[in-house]
Amino acid sequence: RQPKIQISHVICNNLTSTHILYEKEMLLLRLYFFLSLKLVILDTSVVSLTTTMNTAKSYIPPAWAVQKLKNAPIHGRLSLASLPTPVHQVSTTGILSELSKLNITLYIKRDDMSGGVELGGNKIRKLEFLLADALAQNCDSLVTIGGEQSNHCRATACAARMVGIEPHLILRTRKKEEIGMVGNVLLDRLVGSSIYTCTPGEYGRVGSDDLVNRLCEYLRISKGKNPYGIPVGGSNALGTWGYIQGVEELSLQTEEKKIDHVVMSCGSGGTTTGIALGLQLCPTFEKTKAHAVGVCDDPEYFYQTMAQIAEDMGLITNGDENDTGSIIVDMMKRCVKIYQGKGLGYAVSTPDELEFCIRVARDTG
């Protein structure tokens, strides 16, 4: 067994690496994982397609977006996700029967099907743009940050390996002991991520962006790497273009449906910014209202975060240039209604919440 790699004196008082490789066990786990979840590709035509995964294609934004957003991606977009993801109509029976009584039709945009167990979820749409940018800058490694069981970190690590970039993950945890090999952490380890930990207190005091920057600096100075920093959730101006394109995709899928409301969760603000701006700007959704449920922090924090992302995307406003920030905040408040939904805290569920999830699963599949 190899010892822990500790670099706390370089990065932050207690930010330590827990990249522990148990060579035989990890080799067997990796073999099992890829034999279980990956297709063995024998068709040479399919093989030729897989070799283009790290080649970005030029990106042409929707016409309705370029009229209002000046800073379109300049390094193109990778083809990592399985798109378009389907839109399914949900059975409004059982626990959802009240919707039927109100004559409400419920659809779900299945972005959980965007890329399999390793890439699936909303993050891969952002990573198609972020990793294209990293490759354009000849980066050989990347650093990102999230919770212990972060879906974003898992997707980022797997996507990074697909395009030949070395992943470094900072995971926020309350555990004093080793974080183990379960859930997303198992997948993080299977692709050989270097894993570092910080406490919630350090995360709050130092800040997620600063922690990412410090680790990038360490890798650059001490290891001779050329790292690429990705913020929590991939939520910056570039990553958010993933959901501008997602709204365009949705508009093509729902041309014959009247969508009155779109509801989403909000954890770092990027996805919500992209969807809210997209719904505001896309003519198909002229009368559609956006709603977001915050899973952490408070609505005002998200409005401020989203306004900064929108400003960095080059959102054109008609107001005073000296007061752009407050104008965009007000605009975001008109674009989307954000609700306080963190409950007991991030990743902490009440018995009632868990019971609701179970009943929805049983009633709808």
Side-chain angles (χ1 to χ4, degrees), residues 148-149 173-180 182 197:
E148 180 181 328
Q149 289 292 333
T173 179
R174 288 185 170 85
K175 294 180 180 178
K176 294 182 179 180
E177 69 277 6
E178 167 60 33
I179 60 175
V182 297
T197 62

Side-chain angles (χ1 to χ4, degrees), residues 260-303:
D260 300 301
H261 301 270
V262 172
V263 183
M264 70 210 87
S265 61
C266 182
S268 57
T271 296
T272 301
T273 304
I275 294 176
L277 284 176
L279 295 177
Q280 181 79 6
L281 301 176
C282 179
T284 303
F285 301 108
E286 184 179 1
K287 297 182 179 180
T288 303
K289 297 179 180 178
H291 308 263
V293 180
V295 300
C296 55
D297 297 300
D298 57 73
E300 189 58 34
Y301 166 84
F302 285 120
Y303 285 127

Side-chain angles (χ1 to χ4, degrees), residues 115-347:
V117 70
E118 69 275 33
L119 299 179
N122 63 326
K123 310 306 180 186
I124 192 60
R125 290 185 185 269
K126 304 176 186 180
L127 289 167
E128 288 190 328
F129 291 95
L130 293 166
L131 292 181
D133 189 47
L135 290 172
Q137 297 182 43
N138 296 315
C139 293
D140 55 12
S141 53
L142 64 76
V143 176
T144 196
I145 189 167
E148 180 181 328
Q149 289 292 333
S150 169
N151 291 322
H152 161 68
C153 288
R154 175 260 301 159
T156 300
C158 293
R161 285 299 189 191
M162 289 178 179
V163 300
I165 294 177
E166 178 182 282
H168 294 257
L169 311 177
I170 304 173
L171 302 183
R172 183 183 66 249
T173 179
R174 288 185 170 85
K175 294 180 180 178
K176 294 182 179 180
E177 69 277 6
E178 167 60 33
I179 60 175
M181 298 174 65
V182 297
N184 282 333
V185 176
L186 173 61
L187 302 186
D188 297 338
R189 292 193 188 283
L190 285 172
V191 296
S193 303
S194 293
I195 299 177
Y196 312 81
T197 62
C198 69
T199 67
E202 291 159 347
Y203 184 95
R205 287 194 304 274
V206 180
S208 62
D209 289 343
D210 201 13
L211 287 171
V212 168
N213 291 337
R214 291 185 189 191
L215 183 51
C216 284
E217 183 180 7
Y218 167 77
L219 294 173
R220 192 177 296 113
I221 295 173
S222 299
K223 301 296 182 180
K225 298 287 185 181
N226 182 24
Y228 185 84
I230 296 179
V232 61
S235 292
N236 60 11
L238 181 60
T240 297
W241 278 94
Y243 269 91
I244 294 294
Q245 190 59 35
V247 170
E248 172 74 353
E249 180 180 300
L250 182 64
S251 72
L252 299 175
Q253 294 174 306
T254 58
E255 285 179 316
E256 299 180 0
K257 303 178 179 71
K258 181 177 179 291
I259 304 298
D260 300 301
H261 301 270
V262 172
V263 183
M264 70 210 87
S265 61
C266 182
S268 57
T271 296
T272 301
T273 304
I275 294 176
L277 284 176
L279 295 177
Q280 181 79 6
L281 301 176
C282 179
T284 303
F285 301 108
E286 184 179 1
K287 297 182 179 180
T288 303
K289 297 179 180 178
H291 308 263
V293 180
V295 300
C296 55
D297 297 300
D298 57 73
E300 189 58 34
Y301 166 84
F302 285 120
Y303 285 127
Q304 295 291 335
T305 298
M306 293 163 59
Q308 185 61 61
I309 293 173
E311 184 174 353
D312 293 342
M313 294 176 78
L315 179 64
I316 298 172
T317 63
N318 298 321
D320 183 356
E321 292 186 0
N322 296 322
D323 196 27
T324 300
S326 61
I327 291 173
I328 296 179
V329 170
D330 290 340
M331 180 180 174
M332 297 312 301
K333 290 181 177 180
R334 294 193 299 270
C335 286
V336 57
K337 171 69 173 177
I338 301 179
Y339 304 84
Q340 177 60 271
K342 67 180 179 181
L344 296 180
Y346 183 79

Side-chain angles (χ1 to χ4, degrees), residues 56-100:
K57 299 177 181 178
S58 60
Y59 173 65
I60 302 175
W64 49 261
V66 294
Q67 295 172 3
K68 279 288 188 178
L69 299 170
K70 296 183 296 183
N71 301 333
I74 61 174
H75 292 138
R77 171 188 177 194
L78 299 178
S79 297
L80 300 176
S82 300
L83 303 175
T85 56
V87 175
H88 289 166
Q89 183 172 342
V90 180
S91 172
T92 51
T93 58
I95 196 170
L96 301 179
S97 59
E98 288 297 319
L99 298 180
S100 293

